[in-house]
Amino acid sequence: MNTSLSWIKAYVPGLSVTAQEYTDAMTLSGSKVEGYEALDADLEKIVVGQIKKIEKHPDADKLVVCQVDVGGAEDVQIVTGAPNVAEGQKVPVVLDGGRVAGGHDGKKTPGGIKIKKGKLRGVPSFGMMCSIEELGSTREMYPEAPEDGIYIFDEDAVVGESAIKALGLDDVVFEYEITSNRVDCFGVLGLAREAAATFGKEFQPPVVKETGNHEDVNSYIKVTVHDTELCPRYCARVVKNIKIAPSPKWMQRRLASQGIRPINNIVDITNYVMEEYGQPMHAYDLDTIAGKEIIVRRAAKDEKFVTLDGQERTMDDSVLMICDGEKAVGIAGIMGGENSMITDSVQTMLFEAACFDGTNIRLSSKKVGLRTDASGKFEKGLDPNNALEAMNRACQLIEELGAGEVVGGVVDVYGKVKEGRRILFDAGKVNRLLGTDLPADTMLGYFERIELGYDAETGEVIVPSWRQDLECLADLAEEVARFYGYDNIPTALPTGEATTGKLSFKLRVESVAREVAEFCGFSQGMTYSFESPKVFDKLLLPEDSSLRKTVVISNPLGEDFSIMRTISLNGMLVSLSTNYNRRNKNVRLYELGNIYLPKQIPLTELPEERMQFTLGMYGDGDFYTMKGVIEEFFQKAGLSGKESYDPDAGKPFLHPGRQANVIYDGETIGYLGEIHPQVADNYSIKERVYVAVIDMPKVVELASFDRKYKGIARFPAVTRDISMVMPKTILVGEVEKVFEAKGGSYLEHYELFDIYEGSQIKPGFKSVAYSLAFRAKDKTLEEADYAPAMEKILKALEEMGIELRK
């Protein structure tokens, strides 16, 4: 978005700042200025001169000698080869020592070109008469300039005054970076309002007066909108007795500062109002509108349409079209059609100002391959309440410039009227948010500058519809901050209650799991939550397994990623297989990842997500190595002492004789074991693979980091060894339960130190040996102290059918 400083000053008459001051202040108040260009940066000592006398050059056929009045005591002699000079003309003259922007070819020279007095073919010349290109502009922006020759001023130009000012080049053009939520600042009026608020000056927008004759516009045109979502508002007015002519110089200069080429009064008025209000407009030749009716509808699929640039474009049914009673006459919000364009012979004109859905305009612009100034504004999402005001402003300019006769009334199709919003105002909260101590009246004064109202009874700030970016109190606080000045806000520490900076309990338990796994030589892996239904067959799961009930992904990347996993083993086994086939000898991996268990099929609510602590290894280590890792984790997480193992786990993917459910306090919280040989073969692993899976939500429920300090024992321990022969069906865990139950208060710990199966032990039996340690905190134990406990232990073991080796 560009604006000239002179156009801003037209609405903020009290503004008097340099270009740099304007840039700095506007940037700090939120309207970021990317840069600026002074149009007269390389122009010096250029005045309006009048040619008094022209004589032929004595030594050159194509040169003439002119005596030029430049407002001084004496005329200035200038030799020129311009073909269009004539006596009486008023022209721009660069005096001796002055500077022009570039050459006659229109290319600017950095720093300009200095003009010095000299001689041309022996005749002294004390200056130079300029073309518009030499003044740093082009005929596109100054269409009245001759194609080849010096620029000629109108008769009302004052001799001796600045030619730079007379040409409107004493101006600065600013380039802004406007964020898309500030739609109001995509027009000069919006930026002028911001400038007035920034510098504390009065904002004076143009006063739009009532226009139109005594006729009724409804007798000229009818408007029907079929899709009110894509076109919430459509305004139309009619102008008859059109008189095409050049627009006035002031309008041409303002359009040129925006980079818009002046064409004629009608086109220039639509462009002018678009830049002024940020509301695009379009004009149609009413005589080309069939049935004197406008219909706003979606295009038919593959509908062809020729736009104003002469290109045929193909539509689809998402593109909004402006049509008459027979045909399309424009692509809504983008460009009009060649079949209804304004020509010099136009007699009656239809003016359109509408509001279209911004998203649809952006998508339609991409589909048809056409982006215009209008579409660039519409796609931001304009305020529909601005359409009629801009329309009336354009009609006012038509009457003021004598471009036609405006027909009375307006056709206004406006369904659901867009209202502003109200935001509850709390000065205390704003101050706490900003770290300031401003009174409420000061804040309300800032709001008044930018035309925000205030309802004292309800304590609400009234936000107009064109401020779409203001939605809550924090937005109001931002308005206060930018006009108070970010650089004026003092440095302050944030306020609030102190919080403990530590991990949640769940994350602490997960951290312990990582710490134990990595201490035991496991490396962390991450696998996909998406899997293939074929996984269940590879894991030998039966057809009726509940794990086969999965969440199916509606838009999968492929069959191999079409369901959410209900078991974490597949990813682990794939990772182990990859390492095995790359000849890594000893591999230990772990993963903390979710499984997704649907509560019912088909889904009526989100599935249950459960974190699984999955460990897998091959190479060095066995079942007991994995069991030791699990017990180390339990001990660190505060679960030690109540865990047990059930060998009847019944997991089809585990070896039937080398698997166990992990039980804690009577509840299953995981499993471990050796992978079934067939499953290992399915994953192309030719070694024994051991896995363990722990359900973390259950662990988090049972975990505790409370620790009670126990002092170092002051008295010696007494140890007793027990050697037993027992059936293989009796687990050592059952023996340890006897120790726990019968050992009494003096039993400190027990340790399994030998298991033997061989020729010296009868078939179906095994030899097991434990060491038991007894200790008292307050004395040295005697045999009488621990003997009763030993007798109870031995008796209980014999009742289990265990033989004691003497």
Side-chain angles (χ1 to χ4, degrees):
M1 178 67 193
N2 294 348
T3 68
S4 66
L5 185 58
S6 63
W7 202 345
I8 295 292
K9 287 182 177 179
Y11 307 130
V12 191
L15 185 62
S16 178
V17 291
T18 65
Q20 192 59 52
E21 289 171 344
Y22 181 90
T23 297
D24 295 341
M26 289 294 284
T27 298
L28 285 175
S29 70
S31 303
K32 184 181 179 182
V33 179
E34 285 286 301
Y36 64 85
E37 178 187 7
L39 301 182
D40 60 352
D42 298 324
L43 304 178
E44 294 179 12
K45 296 180 70 175
I46 306 176
V47 299
V48 177
Q50 186 170 24
I51 301 174
K52 293 295 187 180
K53 185 178 180 182
I54 298 178
E55 297 177 338
K56 282 185 171 287
H57 192 288
D59 269 342
D61 293 337
K62 293 185 179 181
L63 297 179
V64 294
V65 181
C66 303
Q67 304 300 321
V68 183
D69 179 8
V70 294
E74 297 181 358
D75 294 344
V76 174
Q77 179 172 291
I78 298 175
V79 179
T80 181
N84 64 327
V85 294
E87 292 181 358
Q89 289 176 337
K90 294 181 179 179
V91 297
V93 176
V94 189
L95 301 177
D96 179 29
R99 194 181 300 271
V100 293
H104 193 66
D105 57 2
K107 294 180 180 179
K108 287 188 176 183
T109 301
I113 301 173
K114 193 167 186 178
I115 304 301
K116 298 180 180 180
K117 64 182 179 181
K119 291 184 178 182
L120 289 179
R121 301 292 293 270
V123 177
S125 181
F126 299 91
M128 184 180 80
M129 293 180 281
C130 304
S131 66
I132 197 65
E133 289 81 7
E134 289 164 332
L135 295 175
S137 191
T138 64
R139 289 188 66 250
E140 281 195 343
M141 301 306 172
Y142 289 81
E144 74 277 11
E147 185 174 351
D148 186 17
I150 61 172
Y151 182 84
I152 310 298
F153 285 110
D154 293 337
E155 286 296 326
D156 57 356
V158 179
V159 174
E161 289 195 353
S162 169
I164 298 171
K165 183 177 180 180
L167 288 166
L169 294 173
D170 58 336
D171 206 349
V172 183
V173 176
F174 297 93
E175 180 184 358
Y176 305 84
E177 180 186 334
I178 305 297
T179 54
S180 57
N181 65 331
R182 287 304 305 272
V183 181
D184 56 301
C185 288
F186 282 93
V188 177
L189 283 176
L191 287 169
R193 184 186 293 109
E194 289 291 308
T198 299
F199 293 99
K201 303 297 182 180
E202 183 183 359
F203 174 54
Q204 296 181 6
V207 179
V208 180
K209 299 176 182 178
E210 184 178 349
T211 56
N213 58 22
H214 298 296
E215 296 180 89
D216 183 4
V217 70
N218 291 286
S219 62
Y220 282 82
I221 192 70
K222 175 186 176 183
V223 176
T224 304
V225 178
H226 289 317
D227 196 327
T228 54
E229 288 188 5
L230 298 186
C231 179
R233 190 175 196 183
Y234 190 99
C235 302
R237 296 196 71 175
V238 172
V239 181
K240 64 180 186 179
N241 301 325
I242 299 295
K243 299 174 183 177
I244 300 293
S247 55
K249 292 290 192 297
W250 62 267
M251 182 176 286
Q252 292 186 27
R253 302 296 178 259
R254 288 182 181 177
L255 290 175
S257 70
Q258 303 291 100
I260 298 175
R261 178 172 62 91
I263 297 175
N264 59 48
N265 49 4
I266 298 299
V267 176
D268 290 354
I269 285 172
T270 61
N271 287 333
Y272 183 85
V273 174
M274 179 176 72
E275 295 300 316
E276 187 176 46
Y277 280 80
Q279 170 66 52
M281 303 180 65
H282 190 69
Y284 302 95
D285 186 341
L286 187 61
D287 293 332
T288 66
I289 304 298
K292 298 298 184 280
E293 180 181 16
I294 289 292
I295 301 172
V296 183
R297 61 162 175 83
R298 290 176 184 260
K301 187 175 181 181
D302 296 329
E303 181 177 346
K304 307 293 184 182
F305 182 70
V306 179
T307 48
L308 277 171
D309 57 3
Q311 299 293 315
E312 183 180 75
R313 303 181 189 275
T314 303
M315 311 295 134
D316 65 18
D317 56 7
S318 67
V319 179
L320 195 65
M321 303 296 292
I322 309 297
C323 308
D324 61 17
E326 299 176 354
K327 61 187 181 300
V329 295
I331 307 176
I334 300 177
M335 184 177 281
E338 191 177 49
N339 54 13
S340 61
M341 64 186 296
I342 296 293
T343 63
D344 290 345
S345 61
V346 63
Q347 295 297 314
T348 307
M349 180 181 66
L350 173 67
F351 248 150
E352 165 195 287
C355 184
F356 303 110
D357 178 75
T359 301
N360 178 263
I361 294 298
R362 179 176 60 84
L363 294 175
S364 297
S365 179
K366 291 181 68 176
K367 287 174 182 175
V368 301
L370 179 61
R371 195 170 191 275
T372 61
D373 289 339
S375 68
K377 292 184 184 296
F378 276 122
E379 66 187 25
K380 304 295 189 299
L382 300 184
D383 176 21
N385 294 326
N386 196 41
L388 184 58
E389 182 77 6
M391 168 73 76
N392 291 335
R393 170 63 167 163
C395 291
Q396 177 185 357
L397 289 171
I398 285 175
E399 288 193 349
E400 289 179 355
L401 302 183
E405 180 183 353
V406 180
V407 175
V410 60
V411 178
D412 187 4
V413 180
Y414 194 6
K416 184 179 179 181
V417 177
K418 183 175 181 179
E419 304 288 349
R421 62 173 61 90
R422 288 171 171 256
I423 302 174
L424 188 63
F425 175 62
D426 187 331
K429 285 185 177 179
V430 172
N431 277 324
R432 288 193 293 274
L433 188 61
L434 299 179
T436 55
D437 189 21
L438 296 173
D441 288 345
T442 300
M443 298 183 189
L444 293 175
Y446 295 147
F447 299 155
E448 186 179 358
R449 287 191 201 175
I450 51 177
E451 301 184 11
L452 304 184
Y454 180 66
D455 187 337
E457 292 185 3
T458 62
E460 294 174 316
V461 173
I462 303 170
V463 180
S465 59
W466 43 265
R467 281 304 301 269
Q468 302 176 21
D469 59 309
L470 301 183
E471 297 180 348
C472 59
L473 184 65
D475 295 325
L476 295 181
E478 183 181 3
E479 299 301 295
V480 172
R482 67 193 187 95
F483 290 117
Y484 176 64
Y486 292 105
D487 52 336
N488 294 323
I489 297 177
T491 301
L493 293 174
T495 59
E497 298 179 358
T499 57
T500 304
K502 64 178 183 180
L503 295 175
S504 66
F505 186 78
K506 172 180 175 292
L507 293 179
R508 289 174 67 193
V509 175
E510 291 176 9
S511 178
V512 168
R514 290 189 184 91
E515 181 182 339
V516 169
E518 290 169 8
F519 176 79
C520 295
F522 289 75
S523 299
Q524 185 172 12
M526 296 182 69
T527 60
Y528 290 114
S529 296
F530 302 160
E531 287 186 337
S532 167
K534 299 175 183 177
V535 165
F536 304 124
D537 294 331
K538 293 178 72 173
L539 293 175
L540 307 182
L541 289 173
E543 291 295 330
D544 60 349
S545 172
S546 62
L547 295 176
R548 288 181 179 267
K549 297 177 181 178
T550 62
V551 178
V552 179
I553 300 169
S554 59
N555 57 338
L557 298 174
E559 185 183 3
D560 290 343
F561 301 96
S562 60
I563 62 171
M564 302 296 290
R565 66 182 177 184
T566 56
I567 184 170
S568 60
L569 279 185
N570 176 65
M572 177 59 66
L573 292 176
V574 169
S575 297
L576 292 173
S577 174
T578 301
N579 279 275
Y580 178 80
N581 287 289
R582 291 180 181 175
R583 300 184 179 181
N584 293 325
K585 293 183 179 180
N586 298 299
V587 176
R588 296 187 178 190
L589 298 175
Y590 80 93
E591 179 186 17
L592 283 164
N594 286 339
I595 59 173
Y596 304 84
L597 305 176
K599 297 174 183 177
Q600 63 182 41
I601 298 294
L603 287 177
T604 58
E605 56 183 314
L606 293 175
E608 181 183 10
E609 299 183 30
R610 299 190 71 84
M611 176 75 73
Q612 305 292 289
F613 180 29
T614 307
L615 302 111
M617 69 178 190
Y618 68 80
D620 292 344
D622 56 16
F623 179 94
Y624 297 102
T625 304
M626 186 66 78
K627 179 172 174 284
V629 177
I630 297 301
E631 291 179 347
E632 177 77 9
F633 169 52
F634 286 169
Q635 191 273 329
K636 291 288 186 182
L639 277 74
S640 180
K642 295 183 180 180
E643 71 273 12
S644 61
Y645 302 88
D646 179 9
D648 297 324
K651 305 295 182 185
F653 43 81
L654 297 179
H655 192 293
R658 298 167 188 163
Q659 60 173 285
N661 279 333
V662 182
I663 312 295
Y664 185 86
D665 202 16
E667 184 177 7
T668 300
I669 62 174
Y671 57 86
L672 78 157
E674 180 184 330
I675 289 294
H676 195 290
Q678 185 177 340
V679 174
D681 187 61
N682 290 341
Y683 285 90
S684 302
I685 305 176
K686 306 303 180 183
E687 286 197 33
R688 291 185 175 185
V689 180
Y690 299 93
V691 296
V693 178
I694 303 298
D695 189 53
M696 291 299 288
K698 290 182 179 178
V699 173
V700 171
E701 291 177 9
L702 300 168
S704 172
F705 293 110
D706 294 335
R707 298 289 187 270
K708 188 174 181 180
Y709 171 74
K710 294 181 180 180
I712 299 174
R714 297 171 55 193
F715 298 94
V718 177
T719 60
R720 289 292 181 267
D721 295 341
I722 301 178
S723 181
M724 301 164 278
V725 176
M726 64 181 73
K728 291 182 178 180
T729 56
I730 297 178
L731 304 177
V732 292
E734 297 176 52
V735 175
E736 291 176 356
K737 287 180 181 179
V738 172
F739 296 159
E740 294 281 353
K742 307 296 183 180
S745 59
Y746 291 139
L747 180 62
E748 185 177 57
H749 75 270
Y750 47 83
E751 181 179 354
L752 174 67
F753 66 87
D754 182 58
I755 296 178
Y756 173 73
E757 296 179 24
S759 58
Q760 299 180 21
I761 304 296
K762 56 186 175 181
F765 284 74
K766 59 186 175 182
S767 174
V768 177
Y770 271 91
S771 176
L772 282 72
F774 296 89
R775 191 195 303 268
K777 295 180 180 180
D778 56 351
K779 64 179 181 178
T780 300
L781 291 177
E782 297 179 0
E783 186 175 356
D785 295 321
Y786 60 84
M790 282 297 298
E791 290 177 3
K792 291 179 182 179
I793 291 173
L794 296 175
K795 183 178 180 181
L797 293 174
E798 289 176 352
E799 291 175 354
M800 292 173 61
I802 297 175
E803 300 176 11
L804 302 177
R805 300 180 70 181
K806 305 296 183 180

